[in-house]
Amino acid sequence: MAKVLVIGSGGREHALCRQFLLSPQVQQVYCAPGNAGMAGDGVQLVALTAFADLAAFAQQQQIDLTFVGPEIPLQQGLVDYFQARQLPIFGPTQAAAELESSKSFAKALLAKQHVATAAYREFSDYTLAWTYLQQQALPQVIKANGLAAGKGVTIVTTLAQGQTVLQDLLQVHQFDTTSVIIEEFLVGEEFSCMAFVAGDQIVPMPLAQDHKALGAGDRGPNTGGMGAYSPLPHLPADLAQQALEQVLQPIVAGMQQQQRSFNGILYAGLILTATGIKVIEFNMRFGDPETQVVLPQLTSDFYQLLQDMLAGKTVQPTWQHQQIYLGVVVAAAGYPGTYQQGAALPELSQLPAAVRPYYAGVALQQDQLVSAGGRVFLLATRAYDVATAQQTVNAVLAQLPLAAFTYRPDIGWHALT
């Protein structure tokens, strides 16, 4: 029987652990460092984060597969570290992870591969960036050129707002960034296209739509994601095939040409505009909260899928096609700004059978789960249409004591209008 190690601590990693546990081949799933909410599913938490400690644990426990959830260990080269020690791991190398960690690298690759994206300029000098912004029609999008946990993107609608953002990024160096991308604001329907990649093999997953803005109607500041749903019944039936041919295939080919071939997840944040699909961003790992509504749709063995891909075998996973999966994030009040921690979580062990919790920013205090982050947990369900799924989750949320928390009641609204 197999042992699996998942790296990370959020709701995405909770979903990954659950999916591994469904495999009849998997005996034990460890999560490092994990979170206290995962323990209820039988996940064993391992309080390790240093590369040497993780590798030593994998060797001692004879871990059959390690899976990296978040972006920072990928950017720092955890996969390379494991590979150098012949430890089986699924995830992109440090060189491949640059497609996410460097927006300028991603933009250059898009141009080289003739993949459509927003027109943009890159700046490291505040004065030049501010002068350029004043010459552009608003809104414009300003992005920190680096990792920012999903919060380094601002849609600026006034020059005063734009000036503040540029000062934060280029003078205060928020998110440790030294340069910014200023790009045109694209109008259309955004969607997430995730795929398993092994060399030149690309295995797409069902499309999803994330809700980044804090407030209902997509208003308010950008967050790491306030909810998601999948599949997307209101978008063209051939959209996934278009995304595969127009974006995923040329980008994977371009990475191979640059000797950045990889095993891992390719996440394309895309938008369907009046002139076709354009790329907003790339991630080199599962999205959060998309993972919680996409991965449970997999009806074949997740562990076997990854092992086969690492072995260079052609894979054909199976997915459900009947229902909509929808998840709503419950965040600490004040998120993504200043927020309190240590608020007691409502009791989630007696939820209706159709609703499942995924824990993220939580900790255990005196046998009570309390908030320990911005996004605290997600409630997910499935139904035969978006409206029913939305109503099911909202009905449960309405019954919970959530005065110290916030959530969006309109997840999935694009499919309902």
Side-chain angles (χ1 to χ4, degrees):
M1 295 287 283
K3 297 180 185 177
V4 174
L5 172 63
V6 174
I7 308 295
S9 62
R12 163 186 50 215
E13 287 75 34
H14 193 176
L16 287 162
C17 289
R18 274 216 191 121
Q19 203 67 31
F20 279 122
L21 285 166
L22 290 175
S23 169
Q25 301 180 62
V26 174
Q27 170 192 6
Q28 180 65 59
V29 174
Y30 301 92
C31 193
N35 70 61
M38 298 176 179
D41 281 321
V43 177
Q44 191 162 328
L45 308 184
V46 183
L48 302 174
T49 54
F51 286 10
D53 294 338
L54 291 167
F57 177 84
Q59 286 171 325
Q60 289 159 7
Q61 294 295 324
Q62 297 181 303
I63 297 294
D64 296 281
L65 179 66
T66 297
F67 191 102
V68 188
E71 60 271 30
I72 291 175
L74 295 172
Q75 181 201 25
Q76 294 174 342
L78 178 59
V79 171
D80 310 66
Y81 192 90
F82 269 53
Q83 287 178 344
R85 289 154 181 79
Q86 281 80 51
L87 295 169
I89 187 167
F90 194 85
T93 61
Q94 189 172 31
E98 196 173 355
L99 186 62
E100 174 173 6
S101 63
S102 170
K103 290 180 175 62
S104 53
F105 171 76
K107 284 288 193 181
L109 184 64
L110 286 163
K112 183 174 183 294
Q113 297 302 104
H114 308 290
V115 176
T117 188
Y120 76 101
R121 289 277 302 276
E122 182 180 0
F123 297 93
S124 53
D125 179 87
Y126 165 76
T127 303
L128 292 176
W130 172 229
T131 301
Y132 174 81
L133 183 65
Q134 293 175 83
Q135 298 165 352
Q136 305 309 305
L138 297 178
Q140 291 280 306
V141 182
I142 302 178
K143 298 180 176 181
N145 185 23
L147 299 177
K151 290 174 283 194
V153 178
T154 306
I155 300 167
V156 299
T157 55
T158 67
L159 284 176
Q161 180 193 17
Q163 185 175 31
T164 300
V165 172
L166 289 174
Q167 287 170 341
D168 286 345
L169 294 176
L170 293 177
Q171 294 183 325
V172 180
H173 298 297
Q174 186 182 22
F175 307 123
D176 293 325
T177 191
T178 56
S179 67
V180 300
I181 300 284
I182 302 178
E183 67 179 30
E184 68 171 320
F185 176 74
L186 297 173
V187 177
E189 193 77 13
E190 293 187 31
F191 62 100
S192 306
C193 179
M194 300 189 292
F196 300 100
V197 177
D200 59 3
Q201 185 175 197
I202 304 170
V203 183
M205 304 179 214
L207 299 181
Q209 188 169 68
D210 181 17
H211 295 57
K212 285 286 187 194
L214 176 69
D218 295 337
R219 295 182 177 89
N222 246 29
T223 71
M226 293 300 292
Y229 66 107
S230 171
L232 308 179
H234 62 301
L235 295 184
D238 67 341
L239 191 60
Q241 187 63 29
Q242 289 183 50
L244 175 64
E245 294 172 2
Q246 297 173 25
V247 179
L248 302 184
Q249 288 174 346
I251 289 302
V252 169
M255 293 288 279
Q256 288 187 300
Q257 289 161 17
Q258 296 203 16
Q259 281 72 55
R260 296 175 193 249
S261 182
F262 67 96
N263 298 319
I265 307 299
L266 175 57
Y267 170 120
L270 307 175
I271 184 167
L272 181 59
T273 72
T275 56
I277 295 173
K278 292 189 177 183
V279 173
I280 297 173
E281 64 175 353
F282 289 116
N283 295 331
M284 295 302 284
R285 36 79 191 181
F286 272 111
D288 188 342
E290 293 98 325
T291 309
Q292 293 91 305
V293 296
V294 170
L295 202 51
Q297 297 181 62
L298 183 67
T299 55
S300 51
D301 190 316
F302 183 47
Y303 174 79
Q304 190 62 53
L305 168 67
L306 300 181
Q307 289 288 27
D308 286 348
M309 293 194 82
L310 284 173
K313 297 178 182 177
T314 301
V315 299
Q316 291 184 308
T318 55
W319 304 86
Q320 73 85 34
H321 297 288
Q322 283 76 44
Q323 294 184 298
I324 303 293
Y325 285 60
L326 184 145
V328 177
V329 169
V330 175
Y335 173 80
T338 304
Y339 54 84
Q340 296 262 305
Q341 302 193 42
L345 265 65
E347 178 55 55
L348 300 178
S349 63
Q350 304 299 318
L351 295 175
V355 180
R356 302 199 71 176
Y358 292 89
Y359 291 101
V362 300
L364 195 63
Q365 283 184 4
Q366 298 168 342
D367 296 329
Q368 165 74 53
L369 284 176
V370 299
S371 63
R375 293 186 296 172
V376 182
F377 64 93
L378 173 145
L379 290 189
T381 193
R382 61 178 192 251
Y384 287 99
D385 59 76
V386 175
T388 303
Q390 186 189 84
Q391 290 160 9
T392 299
V393 176
N394 285 344
V396 172
L397 288 166
Q399 299 297 315
L400 297 175
L402 294 173
F405 303 92
T406 185
Y407 66 91
R408 280 183 61 168
D410 67 335
I411 301 302
W413 74 277
H414 287 227
L416 302 176
T417 50

